[in-house]
Amino acid sequence: MRKLIKGIVEYRKRIRPSYRKAFARLALGQKPDALLVACSDSRVAPNLFASTEPGDLFVVRNVGNLIPRYVGRGGKPCQSEGAALEFAALVLRVKDIIVCGHSSCGAMVALLEGSQAKTATHLKGWLGHAGPAVKKLKAGLRMKADIPRSDQLSQVNVLQQIEHIRSYPAIMRLISAGRLRLHAWWFDIAAAEVLHFEDREERFVVIDAPEA
């Protein structure tokens, strides 16, 4: 906590004066460019590597950067992430939704080893939303990269969560109308690089120019 308090004091001294006008404007409403779904991992800092300003991103962060598949009538929906998707797309009208996974993800390691989730019932249940990605990896699906198995799973999982987002009818209507785009990103912590999935190459490549 001491480090956090020190950071707030530094913020008040050095950063707050230059941002007061911006926050006064943002207090009247928000109009973010994109929804970013990222992992809760403390090493993943989207506002740093995406160089965004306050108000640019609507962010959902959870263990494993997961989005539960849409559940229709008669099922029990996972309301938090589904509500964020609908709010961002239907109310805020973002034009892009990004799912960003990362290397050395503890959630992916837990899925492969199972040890960390044995006594954590909530964690075990939540990680079930990445179950299809685990099945695909075990069935032989591999990404075109020489990376550890847990990182392979992390990349497969990003693509799996994109599929889950597509399962929401309201989202698919916007995609079909050309009003919404989905993006798969992956952050390599050791290299401090951000990659995106290139459909034509069927692999994650470093982002070094704006996506079309």
Side-chain angles (χ1 to χ4, degrees):
M1 282 299 295
R2 185 182 297 274
K3 187 175 182 180
L4 296 179
I5 297 298
K6 183 179 179 181
I8 292 174
V9 172
E10 287 298 309
Y11 157 78
R12 294 191 77 253
K13 289 180 179 179
R14 299 189 299 105
I15 300 175
R16 179 173 174 267
S18 61
Y19 271 96
R20 287 188 66 179
K21 288 185 179 180
F23 278 112
R25 173 176 51 81
L26 290 172
L28 302 176
Q30 62 172 322
K31 192 173 177 57
D33 300 313
L35 162 64
L36 176 72
V37 180
C39 185
S40 299
D41 194 296
S42 62
R43 299 165 296 177
V44 178
N47 292 77
L48 177 63
F49 62 65
S51 299
T52 56
E53 294 291 324
D56 288 349
L57 286 177
F58 188 74
V59 181
V60 172
R61 299 189 68 165
N62 60 51
V63 176
N65 45 270
L66 305 179
I67 294 289
R69 185 178 291 275
Y70 175 79
V71 177
R73 292 182 180 180
K76 185 179 180 181
C78 185
Q79 295 182 339
S80 178
E81 280 68 25
L85 280 178
E86 292 174 350
F87 188 77
L90 302 178
V91 180
L92 299 177
R93 297 182 181 180
V94 299
K95 293 181 174 60
D96 298 276
I97 296 178
I98 305 156
V99 177
C100 183
H102 65 95
S103 62
S104 305
C105 181
M108 300 301 108
V109 173
L111 278 163
L112 290 175
E113 297 180 353
S115 58
Q116 297 177 1
K118 285 183 179 179
T119 58
T121 55
H122 291 87
L123 177 59
K124 183 178 180 180
W126 176 250
L127 293 182
H129 298 299
V134 177
K135 290 180 180 179
K136 288 179 180 179
L137 185 71
K138 290 183 176 180
L141 177 63
R142 294 291 185 275
M143 305 307 296
K144 296 180 179 179
D146 184 18
I147 54 178
R149 186 171 172 80
S150 61
D151 288 350
Q152 288 272 341
L153 176 58
S154 178
Q155 292 190 351
V156 172
N157 180 60
V158 170
L159 301 180
Q160 183 64 48
Q161 301 315 310
I162 292 288
E163 287 188 27
H164 288 183
I165 291 174
R166 289 182 180 274
S167 71
Y168 288 75
I171 299 298
M172 275 308 300
R173 284 194 293 270
L174 292 172
I175 293 174
S176 299
R179 293 166 51 192
L180 185 65
R181 300 183 301 179
L182 303 183
H183 309 267
W185 287 8
W186 195 74
F187 181 55
D188 185 335
I189 295 175
E193 285 277 23
V194 186
L195 299 81
H196 79 103
F197 187 75
E198 176 56 61
D199 290 322
R200 289 171 294 185
E201 299 185 33
E202 297 184 338
R203 67 187 181 98
F204 283 86
V205 298
V206 172
I207 297 177
D208 61 1
E211 290 186 64

